[in-house]
Amino acid sequence: IQPVQVIMSYSPMRHLAERHAHENVLVVGLGDSLNVAKYLGFTNAVGILSYQAQHPELVPFKFEWPAGTVPSAPNAVPHIPFGAIVVVNDSADAFNDFQVMLDVAISPFGCIGEQVSGMQTVPIYWQADDLLWAAQAKLPRLGGGAFREMFASTFLAVTGRELEVTCFGKPRAIAYAYAERMLEKEAARLGWDPKAMRTIAMVGDNLETDIIGANARGKKWLSVHVMTGIGGAPAACRTISPNDLELKWLSEFPHKAPHYIAPTLDHFVREALAFGEDTITMNRIKF
């Protein structure tokens, strides 16, 4: 499998890199998130952990630092302006990350100082909005969407205003459009005719993201619900940003039933090969 054949929820964010090419961008997320942001093209990316280490006065409840991280003296390093906040992955230290994100989000020009604007001053981009996901626990675990919900509630409580966020990943249309474009490029690279592609199967375990996103995209997309993962654990209610008309429409979207159901991905592949395309796609609805 080549890297170009793998699409992550944050992959479409590379289109934002040119817009913020000359600005500092605060990158939030555990693991290799900073290098991911730089790979996407954010040349002036600053990891939130390193920024906290430069400004430990911002996180008075951070009592432990990762090995090799030595915090500076409080108020010893000047603050820099940020043009955006980019959440590339879930947070491993949500409380302290919330604090710094909030400081940047309401500071004039995204530069923390003695004054705040009382409203959001920089855009926030969120890589995925899945409320729940499946891990080793018997019950679903909270995901990136829960992180957004918590931060949005905190932002509203502090400022009295609703948080404005641009989300990527399923069920957003940009995730499916980006996947289509990459599949067409890959088909052309392999010598196939991209226009001959009739069906794209979205195989997933989440009705609220995988299935509804494929159904809303329509056209070539076939929604396949597998019973592994979180299965049938829908979100009861989601916080919708004032500018997020897409999520508002998706939340009211009536067609959440999958076109096909299989116990596992392996079962679906075997059934698709055995039954043929006409049988697998017979319940697909064209919008």
Side-chain angles (χ1 to χ4, degrees):
I1 298 177
Q2 302 297 319
V4 70
Q5 296 173 310
V6 179
I7 300 174
M8 305 298 290
S9 58
Y10 50 69
S11 296
M13 283 184 170
R14 63 176 66 253
H15 298 301
L16 298 170
E18 184 176 352
R19 180 186 303 178
H20 299 284
H22 304 293
E23 297 177 322
N24 298 311
V25 171
L26 183 65
V27 178
V28 181
L30 50 77
D32 212 25
S33 296
L34 180 59
N35 287 330
V36 168
K38 291 180 178 179
Y39 172 76
L40 294 173
F42 295 101
T43 54
N44 297 319
V46 179
I48 194 166
L49 177 61
S50 63
Y51 195 70
Q52 291 170 350
Q54 290 178 347
H55 303 280
E57 71 278 3
L58 300 179
V59 284
F61 294 108
K62 196 176 188 74
F63 303 114
E64 296 182 1
W65 298 88
T69 301
V70 179
S72 303
N75 299 302
V77 179
H79 287 282
I80 59 175
F82 287 99
I85 298 173
V86 180
V87 181
V88 176
N89 201 341
D90 298 343
S91 170
D93 187 8
F95 185 81
N96 289 307
D97 289 354
F98 279 176
Q99 181 66 75
V100 177
M101 291 168 65
L102 178 65
D103 291 339
V104 171
I106 62 176
S107 294
F109 305 104
C111 187
I112 300 174
E114 296 181 357
Q115 304 295 326
V116 296
S117 67
M119 60 184 298
Q120 188 171 337
T121 59
V122 299
I124 300 177
Y125 305 114
W126 219 277
Q127 56 91 18
D129 202 31
D130 294 62
L131 186 69
L132 303 170
W133 68 291
Q136 293 181 336
K138 294 183 179 180
L139 295 177
R141 301 293 85 193
L142 297 175
F147 185 35
R148 180 183 69 80
E149 294 278 356
M150 289 184 279
F151 184 64
S153 297
T154 302
F155 187 89
L156 176 62
V158 172
T159 67
R161 298 174 180 267
E162 294 185 14
L163 183 72
E164 296 189 11
V165 179
T166 301
C167 292
F168 294 78
K170 303 166 296 184
R172 309 289 172 156
I174 190 172
Y176 295 84
Y178 187 85
E180 283 182 38
R181 176 62 61 87
M182 298 305 294
L183 284 169
E184 290 170 355
K185 287 184 177 180
E186 184 63 10
R189 186 185 71 85
L190 295 172
W192 302 336
D193 181 6
K195 295 181 180 179
M197 189 184 306
R198 297 186 302 272
T199 299
I200 304 174
M202 171 68 252
V203 182
D205 64 335
N206 194 327
L207 291 170
E208 301 292 328
T209 55
D210 305 323
I211 304 307
I212 194 174
N215 289 349
R217 183 65 180 173
K219 301 178 182 179
K220 302 176 182 178
W221 287 88
L222 174 74
S223 60
V224 180
H225 188 215
V226 292
M227 304 312 293
T228 52
I230 68 171
C237 180
R238 298 304 308 273
T239 300
I240 301 176
S241 299
N243 65 333
D244 198 347
L245 299 179
E246 182 180 19
L247 184 58
K248 184 177 187 299
W249 180 79
L250 286 170
S251 67
E252 300 170 352
F253 192 64
H255 185 54
K256 297 183 180 181
H259 300 141
Y260 196 86
I261 300 175
T264 66
L265 172 61
D266 179 67
H267 280 82
F268 170 69
V269 173
R270 291 172 183 270
E271 291 168 12
L273 293 173
F275 301 151
E277 182 181 358
D278 290 342
T279 300
I280 293 295
T281 61
M282 64 184 300
N283 292 321
R284 180 167 55 186
I285 298 176
K286 295 182 178 181
F287 293 91

